[in-house]
Amino acid sequence: MSFYNASCKRICIENPIPTRIYGLPSYTQTIQPYEYGHPYSKKTCLWLKGLPPLVPTEIITENIVSWVSGGSKDGHGNPRKNQGTKFRDSKTRSKTFEGIAKAMAEQWGRDDLTVAQQVSIFDLL
């Protein structure tokens, strides 16, 4: 979390739900891809400093599947209805969805950059 304590006016750290073992502070907000125009669930935490909460831009309510498969059975031992995608490589599983990156750029971006330039900055992180 040294990023979070950096001397910057605005900071957003994005990561999946952490386990307690890492001792991270409480996150500021959780977001889902289906809140930004993608038909997937992938709960992601945001630690925000100097930024307002990200506002959903396009909420999808139907045919949502998990981006990362949680296995073939739910917590009660029943077969999962939506098993999600079958991606196994970490790069694909850790994808930041374009709708989320665009919302971050549009809502938090600097005035002197275009949205396209701001989105490309997120691709570099």
Side-chain angles (χ1 to χ4, degrees):
M1 288 302 289
S2 59
F3 285 130
Y4 189 76
N5 296 319
S7 179
C8 290
K9 289 191 304 187
R10 298 180 281 184
I11 296 174
C12 173
I13 299 169
E14 171 268 337
N15 205 45
I17 298 290
T19 62
R20 294 257 179 226
I21 198 168
Y22 296 112
L24 296 172
S26 296
Y27 45 83
T28 311
Q29 179 182 11
T30 59
I31 59 172
Q32 291 275 5
Y34 61 75
E35 298 172 323
Y36 301 90
H38 303 280
Y40 301 105
S41 68
K42 179 188 171 201
K43 191 173 186 179
T44 302
C45 299
L46 300 179
W47 287 262
L48 304 175
K49 181 178 171 184
L51 293 166
L54 194 63
V55 178
T57 56
E58 182 183 347
I59 298 174
I60 305 281
T61 58
E62 296 181 14
N63 302 317
I64 297 169
V65 297
S66 176
W67 180 251
V68 179
S69 176
S72 60
K73 296 190 177 183
D74 65 17
H76 302 289
N78 301 315
R80 288 190 188 272
K81 294 178 182 165
N82 294 323
Q83 290 189 30
T85 58
K86 304 297 182 199
F87 301 124
R88 294 292 176 234
D89 66 288
S90 60
K91 185 173 182 176
T92 303
R93 286 194 324 262
S94 64
K95 168 188 178 72
T96 297
F97 290 86
E98 183 179 331
I100 294 173
K102 183 177 179 195
M104 289 175 170
E106 289 176 347
Q107 294 176 37
W108 299 335
R110 295 184 353 219
D111 293 336
D112 59 335
L113 294 177
T114 67
V115 171
Q117 289 170 319
Q118 293 169 25
V119 172
S120 68
I121 289 170
F122 285 104
D123 292 338
L124 297 175
L125 297 178

